mmCIF file of all heavy atoms in Angstrom:
data_model
loop_
_atom_site.group_PDB
_atom_site.id
_atom_site.type_symbol
_atom_site.label_atom_id
_atom_site.label_comp_id
_atom_site.label_asym_id
_atom_site.label_seq_id
_atom_site.Cartn_x
_atom_site.Cartn_y
_atom_site.Cartn_z
ATOM 1 N N MET A 1 72.748 99.119 113.385
ATOM 2 C CA MET A 1 73.417 99.466 112.133
ATOM 3 C C MET A 1 74.420 98.376 111.788
ATOM 4 O O MET A 1 74.923 97.657 112.674
ATOM 5 C CB MET A 1 74.125 100.801 112.274
ATOM 6 C CG MET A 1 73.184 101.990 112.283
ATOM 7 S SD MET A 1 72.309 102.169 110.706
ATOM 8 C CE MET A 1 73.676 102.426 109.560
ATOM 9 N N ALA A 2 74.736 98.287 110.512
ATOM 10 C CA ALA A 2 75.627 97.221 110.075
ATOM 11 C C ALA A 2 76.438 97.650 108.863
ATOM 12 O O ALA A 2 76.038 98.560 108.123
ATOM 13 C CB ALA A 2 74.823 95.967 109.739
ATOM 14 N N TRP A 3 77.548 96.982 108.699
ATOM 15 C CA TRP A 3 78.349 97.090 107.485
ATOM 16 C C TRP A 3 78.218 95.784 106.707
ATOM 17 O O TRP A 3 78.281 94.706 107.293
ATOM 18 C CB TRP A 3 79.818 97.356 107.811
ATOM 19 C CG TRP A 3 80.069 98.783 108.137
ATOM 20 C CD1 TRP A 3 80.147 99.348 109.373
ATOM 21 C CD2 TRP A 3 80.253 99.852 107.193
ATOM 22 N NE1 TRP A 3 80.370 100.705 109.264
ATOM 23 C CE2 TRP A 3 80.446 101.034 107.929
ATOM 24 C CE3 TRP A 3 80.271 99.925 105.802
ATOM 25 C CZ2 TRP A 3 80.656 102.275 107.341
ATOM 26 C CZ3 TRP A 3 80.478 101.152 105.204
ATOM 27 C CH2 TRP A 3 80.671 102.312 105.958
ATOM 28 N N TYR A 4 78.058 95.947 105.407
ATOM 29 C CA TYR A 4 77.974 94.827 104.496
ATOM 30 C C TYR A 4 79.062 95.022 103.445
ATOM 31 O O TYR A 4 79.578 96.127 103.266
ATOM 32 C CB TYR A 4 76.613 94.810 103.783
ATOM 33 C CG TYR A 4 75.422 94.724 104.706
ATOM 34 C CD1 TYR A 4 74.953 95.844 105.393
ATOM 35 C CD2 TYR A 4 74.743 93.515 104.891
ATOM 36 C CE1 TYR A 4 73.846 95.771 106.240
ATOM 37 C CE2 TYR A 4 73.649 93.428 105.732
ATOM 38 C CZ TYR A 4 73.211 94.563 106.399
ATOM 39 O OH TYR A 4 72.120 94.479 107.239
ATOM 40 N N ARG A 5 79.406 93.965 102.742
ATOM 41 C CA ARG A 5 80.349 94.114 101.642
ATOM 42 C C ARG A 5 79.971 93.165 100.501
ATOM 43 O O ARG A 5 79.358 92.124 100.726
ATOM 44 C CB ARG A 5 81.787 93.841 102.086
ATOM 45 C CG ARG A 5 82.078 92.411 102.493
ATOM 46 C CD ARG A 5 83.499 92.291 103.043
ATOM 47 N NE ARG A 5 83.809 90.926 103.465
ATOM 48 C CZ ARG A 5 84.932 90.586 104.095
ATOM 49 N NH1 ARG A 5 85.855 91.506 104.366
ATOM 50 N NH2 ARG A 5 85.135 89.327 104.438
ATOM 51 N N GLN A 6 80.352 93.589 99.312
ATOM 52 C CA GLN A 6 80.095 92.771 98.138
ATOM 53 C C GLN A 6 81.362 92.722 97.298
ATOM 54 O O GLN A 6 81.810 93.751 96.774
ATOM 55 C CB GLN A 6 78.934 93.326 97.314
ATOM 56 C CG GLN A 6 78.524 92.410 96.171
ATOM 57 C CD GLN A 6 77.184 92.789 95.579
ATOM 58 O OE1 GLN A 6 76.687 93.901 95.743
ATOM 59 N NE2 GLN A 6 76.556 91.843 94.883
ATOM 60 N N ALA A 7 81.911 91.547 97.205
ATOM 61 C CA ALA A 7 83.102 91.322 96.388
ATOM 62 C C ALA A 7 82.671 91.027 94.951
ATOM 63 O O ALA A 7 81.540 90.588 94.716
ATOM 64 C CB ALA A 7 83.910 90.171 96.951
ATOM 65 N N PRO A 8 83.550 91.251 94.003
ATOM 66 C CA PRO A 8 83.198 90.994 92.598
ATOM 67 C C PRO A 8 82.707 89.568 92.390
ATOM 68 O O PRO A 8 83.350 88.608 92.824
ATOM 69 C CB PRO A 8 84.521 91.232 91.860
ATOM 70 C CG PRO A 8 85.275 92.186 92.728
ATOM 71 C CD PRO A 8 84.908 91.801 94.133
ATOM 72 N N GLY A 9 81.547 89.434 91.763
ATOM 73 C CA GLY A 9 80.996 88.130 91.459
ATOM 74 C C GLY A 9 80.396 87.394 92.635
ATOM 75 O O GLY A 9 80.020 86.216 92.507
ATOM 76 N N LYS A 10 80.280 88.054 93.779
ATOM 77 C CA LYS A 10 79.754 87.390 94.967
ATOM 78 C C LYS A 10 78.546 88.140 95.506
ATOM 79 O O LYS A 10 78.313 89.299 95.176
ATOM 80 C CB LYS A 10 80.831 87.273 96.042
ATOM 81 C CG LYS A 10 81.992 86.378 95.648
ATOM 82 C CD LYS A 10 82.912 86.147 96.824
ATOM 83 C CE LYS A 10 84.030 85.177 96.461
ATOM 84 N NZ LYS A 10 84.925 84.907 97.615
ATOM 85 N N GLN A 11 77.790 87.479 96.353
ATOM 86 C CA GLN A 11 76.643 88.115 96.982
ATOM 87 C C GLN A 11 77.086 89.041 98.102
ATOM 88 O O GLN A 11 78.153 88.861 98.695
ATOM 89 C CB GLN A 11 75.695 87.036 97.541
ATOM 90 C CG GLN A 11 74.958 86.257 96.474
ATOM 91 C CD GLN A 11 73.886 85.360 97.066
ATOM 92 O OE1 GLN A 11 74.018 84.884 98.194
ATOM 93 N NE2 GLN A 11 72.834 85.111 96.314
ATOM 94 N N ARG A 12 76.256 90.017 98.378
ATOM 95 C CA ARG A 12 76.527 90.915 99.479
ATOM 96 C C ARG A 12 76.454 90.141 100.786
ATOM 97 O O ARG A 12 75.563 89.315 100.981
ATOM 98 C CB ARG A 12 75.502 92.051 99.476
ATOM 99 C CG ARG A 12 75.862 93.250 100.318
ATOM 100 C CD ARG A 12 74.898 94.386 100.025
ATOM 101 N NE ARG A 12 75.025 94.857 98.654
ATOM 102 C CZ ARG A 12 74.270 95.806 98.125
ATOM 103 N NH1 ARG A 12 73.316 96.361 98.846
ATOM 104 N NH2 ARG A 12 74.431 96.183 96.887
ATOM 105 N N GLU A 13 77.384 90.406 101.696
ATOM 106 C CA GLU A 13 77.408 89.697 102.971
ATOM 107 C C GLU A 13 77.491 90.680 104.132
ATOM 108 O O GLU A 13 78.046 91.775 104.024
ATOM 109 C CB GLU A 13 78.592 88.725 103.036
ATOM 110 C CG GLU A 13 79.951 89.381 103.034
ATOM 111 C CD GLU A 13 81.103 88.434 103.370
ATOM 112 O OE1 GLU A 13 80.862 87.369 103.975
ATOM 113 O OE2 GLU A 13 82.251 88.779 103.018
ATOM 114 N N LEU A 14 76.937 90.247 105.256
ATOM 115 C CA LEU A 14 76.997 91.025 106.481
ATOM 116 C C LEU A 14 78.373 90.868 107.109
ATOM 117 O O LEU A 14 78.837 89.752 107.311
ATOM 118 C CB LEU A 14 75.906 90.565 107.454
ATOM 119 C CG LEU A 14 75.894 91.190 108.834
ATOM 120 C CD1 LEU A 14 75.606 92.678 108.760
ATOM 121 C CD2 LEU A 14 74.846 90.489 109.705
ATOM 122 N N VAL A 15 79.016 91.980 107.427
ATOM 123 C CA VAL A 15 80.362 91.960 107.993
ATOM 124 C C VAL A 15 80.337 92.210 109.494
ATOM 125 O O VAL A 15 80.983 91.501 110.262
ATOM 126 C CB VAL A 15 81.244 93.024 107.306
ATOM 127 C CG1 VAL A 15 82.619 93.086 107.964
ATOM 128 C CG2 VAL A 15 81.365 92.729 105.816
ATOM 129 N N ALA A 16 79.611 93.234 109.918
ATOM 130 C CA ALA A 16 79.589 93.608 111.334
ATOM 131 C C ALA A 16 78.311 94.374 111.621
ATOM 132 O O ALA A 16 77.769 95.037 110.738
ATOM 133 C CB ALA A 16 80.808 94.453 111.687
ATOM 134 N N SER A 17 77.869 94.297 112.848
ATOM 135 C CA SER A 17 76.684 95.050 113.260
ATOM 136 C C SER A 17 76.923 95.641 114.635
ATOM 137 O O SER A 17 77.747 95.147 115.411
ATOM 138 C CB SER A 17 75.437 94.170 113.259
ATOM 139 O OG SER A 17 75.538 93.176 114.241
ATOM 140 N N ILE A 18 76.166 96.690 114.943
ATOM 141 C CA ILE A 18 76.280 97.325 116.250
ATOM 142 C C ILE A 18 74.913 97.832 116.666
ATOM 143 O O ILE A 18 74.204 98.483 115.899
ATOM 144 C CB ILE A 18 77.328 98.457 116.225
ATOM 145 C CG1 ILE A 18 77.552 99.024 117.628
ATOM 146 C CG2 ILE A 18 76.952 99.549 115.228
ATOM 147 C CD1 ILE A 18 78.789 99.905 117.736
ATOM 148 N N GLY A 19 74.541 97.520 117.911
ATOM 149 C CA GLY A 19 73.256 97.943 118.424
ATOM 150 C C GLY A 19 73.358 99.281 119.143
ATOM 151 O O GLY A 19 74.426 99.858 119.294
ATOM 152 N N GLY A 20 72.209 99.753 119.589
ATOM 153 C CA GLY A 20 72.174 101.034 120.270
ATOM 154 C C GLY A 20 73.001 101.074 121.538
ATOM 155 O O GLY A 20 73.484 102.127 121.942
ATOM 156 N N SER A 21 73.184 99.913 122.161
ATOM 157 C CA SER A 21 73.996 99.839 123.377
ATOM 158 C C SER A 21 75.455 99.570 123.070
ATOM 159 O O SER A 21 76.236 99.244 123.960
ATOM 160 C CB SER A 21 73.453 98.726 124.279
ATOM 161 O OG SER A 21 73.489 97.492 123.600
ATOM 162 N N ASN A 22 75.813 99.697 121.783
ATOM 163 C CA ASN A 22 77.188 99.463 121.320
ATOM 164 C C ASN A 22 77.630 98.013 121.386
ATOM 165 O O ASN A 22 78.826 97.735 121.369
ATOM 166 C CB ASN A 22 78.193 100.348 122.062
ATOM 167 C CG ASN A 22 78.110 101.800 121.611
ATOM 168 O OD1 ASN A 22 77.819 102.088 120.455
ATOM 169 N ND2 ASN A 22 78.343 102.712 122.537
ATOM 170 N N THR A 23 76.679 97.108 121.452
ATOM 171 C CA THR A 23 77.016 95.690 121.358
ATOM 172 C C THR A 23 77.313 95.366 119.900
ATOM 173 O O THR A 23 76.479 95.591 119.029
ATOM 174 C CB THR A 23 75.845 94.829 121.848
ATOM 175 O OG1 THR A 23 75.569 95.164 123.205
ATOM 176 C CG2 THR A 23 76.192 93.355 121.748
ATOM 177 N N ALA A 24 78.500 94.838 119.647
ATOM 178 C CA ALA A 24 78.940 94.585 118.267
ATOM 179 C C ALA A 24 79.057 93.093 117.991
ATOM 180 O O ALA A 24 79.391 92.309 118.886
ATOM 181 C CB ALA A 24 80.287 95.263 118.009
ATOM 182 N N THR A 25 78.765 92.724 116.760
ATOM 183 C CA THR A 25 78.971 91.343 116.303
ATOM 184 C C THR A 25 79.723 91.400 114.987
ATOM 185 O O THR A 25 79.631 92.385 114.242
ATOM 186 C CB THR A 25 77.640 90.602 116.114
ATOM 187 O OG1 THR A 25 76.872 91.268 115.097
ATOM 188 C CG2 THR A 25 76.831 90.568 117.394
ATOM 189 N N TYR A 26 80.456 90.330 114.692
ATOM 190 C CA TYR A 26 81.290 90.272 113.500
ATOM 191 C C TYR A 26 81.181 88.909 112.843
ATOM 192 O O TYR A 26 81.042 87.887 113.524
ATOM 193 C CB TYR A 26 82.760 90.526 113.853
ATOM 194 C CG TYR A 26 83.013 91.851 114.530
ATOM 195 C CD1 TYR A 26 82.978 91.967 115.910
ATOM 196 C CD2 TYR A 26 83.287 92.987 113.776
ATOM 197 C CE1 TYR A 26 83.188 93.188 116.535
ATOM 198 C CE2 TYR A 26 83.513 94.212 114.383
ATOM 199 C CZ TYR A 26 83.455 94.305 115.761
ATOM 200 O OH TYR A 26 83.674 95.525 116.369
ATOM 201 N N THR A 27 81.286 88.902 111.534
ATOM 202 C CA THR A 27 81.394 87.633 110.852
ATOM 203 C C THR A 27 82.777 87.048 111.167
ATOM 204 O O THR A 27 83.733 87.791 111.440
ATOM 205 C CB THR A 27 81.206 87.805 109.328
ATOM 206 O OG1 THR A 27 81.063 86.533 108.713
ATOM 207 C CG2 THR A 27 82.376 88.536 108.690
ATOM 208 N N ASP A 28 82.864 85.721 111.176
ATOM 209 C CA ASP A 28 84.086 85.070 111.643
ATOM 210 C C ASP A 28 85.344 85.535 110.914
ATOM 211 O O ASP A 28 86.416 85.660 111.507
ATOM 212 C CB ASP A 28 83.952 83.547 111.498
ATOM 213 C CG ASP A 28 83.038 82.939 112.552
ATOM 214 O OD1 ASP A 28 82.702 83.637 113.539
ATOM 215 O OD2 ASP A 28 82.651 81.775 112.395
ATOM 216 N N SER A 29 85.228 85.803 109.634
ATOM 217 C CA SER A 29 86.416 86.115 108.835
ATOM 218 C C SER A 29 87.061 87.455 109.192
ATOM 219 O O SER A 29 88.202 87.709 108.803
ATOM 220 C CB SER A 29 86.066 86.093 107.349
ATOM 221 O OG SER A 29 85.132 87.099 107.033
ATOM 222 N N VAL A 30 86.348 88.313 109.923
ATOM 223 C CA VAL A 30 86.922 89.624 110.264
ATOM 224 C C VAL A 30 87.121 89.807 111.762
ATOM 225 O O VAL A 30 87.643 90.846 112.192
ATOM 226 C CB VAL A 30 86.059 90.781 109.710
ATOM 227 C CG1 VAL A 30 85.796 90.594 108.225
ATOM 228 C CG2 VAL A 30 84.757 90.932 110.481
ATOM 229 N N LYS A 31 86.741 88.835 112.554
ATOM 230 C CA LYS A 31 86.891 88.962 114.012
ATOM 231 C C LYS A 31 88.343 89.192 114.379
ATOM 232 O O LYS A 31 89.243 88.516 113.871
ATOM 233 C CB LYS A 31 86.369 87.696 114.699
ATOM 234 C CG LYS A 31 84.857 87.615 114.787
ATOM 235 C CD LYS A 31 84.406 86.338 115.486
ATOM 236 C CE LYS A 31 82.897 86.261 115.559
ATOM 237 N NZ LYS A 31 82.434 84.988 116.167
ATOM 238 N N GLY A 32 88.549 90.162 115.264
ATOM 239 C CA GLY A 32 89.905 90.484 115.698
ATOM 240 C C GLY A 32 90.640 91.429 114.767
ATOM 241 O O GLY A 32 91.729 91.906 115.095
ATOM 242 N N ARG A 33 90.047 91.709 113.605
ATOM 243 C CA ARG A 33 90.701 92.606 112.639
ATOM 244 C C ARG A 33 89.881 93.863 112.375
ATOM 245 O O ARG A 33 90.444 94.920 112.107
ATOM 246 C CB ARG A 33 90.925 91.867 111.307
ATOM 247 C CG ARG A 33 91.773 90.624 111.428
ATOM 248 C CD ARG A 33 92.133 90.060 110.051
ATOM 249 N NE ARG A 33 90.982 89.664 109.264
ATOM 250 C CZ ARG A 33 90.670 90.171 108.085
ATOM 251 N NH1 ARG A 33 91.415 91.130 107.544
ATOM 252 N NH2 ARG A 33 89.607 89.727 107.412
ATOM 253 N N PHE A 34 88.574 93.756 112.433
ATOM 254 C CA PHE A 34 87.690 94.896 112.153
ATOM 255 C C PHE A 34 87.017 95.355 113.436
ATOM 256 O O PHE A 34 86.704 94.544 114.306
ATOM 257 C CB PHE A 34 86.606 94.505 111.146
ATOM 258 C CG PHE A 34 87.093 94.281 109.734
ATOM 259 C CD1 PHE A 34 88.434 94.157 109.418
ATOM 260 C CD2 PHE A 34 86.174 94.200 108.691
ATOM 261 C CE1 PHE A 34 88.869 93.953 108.125
ATOM 262 C CE2 PHE A 34 86.583 93.985 107.385
ATOM 263 C CZ PHE A 34 87.943 93.862 107.109
ATOM 264 N N THR A 35 86.756 96.647 113.525
ATOM 265 C CA THR A 35 86.048 97.209 114.661
ATOM 266 C C THR A 35 84.983 98.180 114.162
ATOM 267 O O THR A 35 85.294 99.140 113.455
ATOM 268 C CB THR A 35 86.999 97.963 115.604
ATOM 269 O OG1 THR A 35 88.018 97.066 116.064
ATOM 270 C CG2 THR A 35 86.235 98.506 116.816
#
């Protein structure tokens, strides 16, 4: 599963993902701030 976001006038981007084993990945701009 993943979270995406779309800012006004911009393309939708992948923010974070999490696998079935709870392994999470984050885009660089949110690392350390989003969980």
Side-chain angles (χ1 to χ4, degrees):
M1 286 296 299
W3 280 97
Y4 301 78
R5 67 186 179 187
Q6 187 166 19
K10 295 188 176 182
Q11 289 189 330
R12 196 170 295 178
E13 66 169 340
L14 175 64
V15 176
S17 66
I18 186 166
S21 59
N22 287 327
T23 300
T25 62
Y26 302 91
T27 191
D28 286 347
S29 64
V30 308
K31 283 180 180 177
R33 301 189 299 120
F34 289 13
T35 302

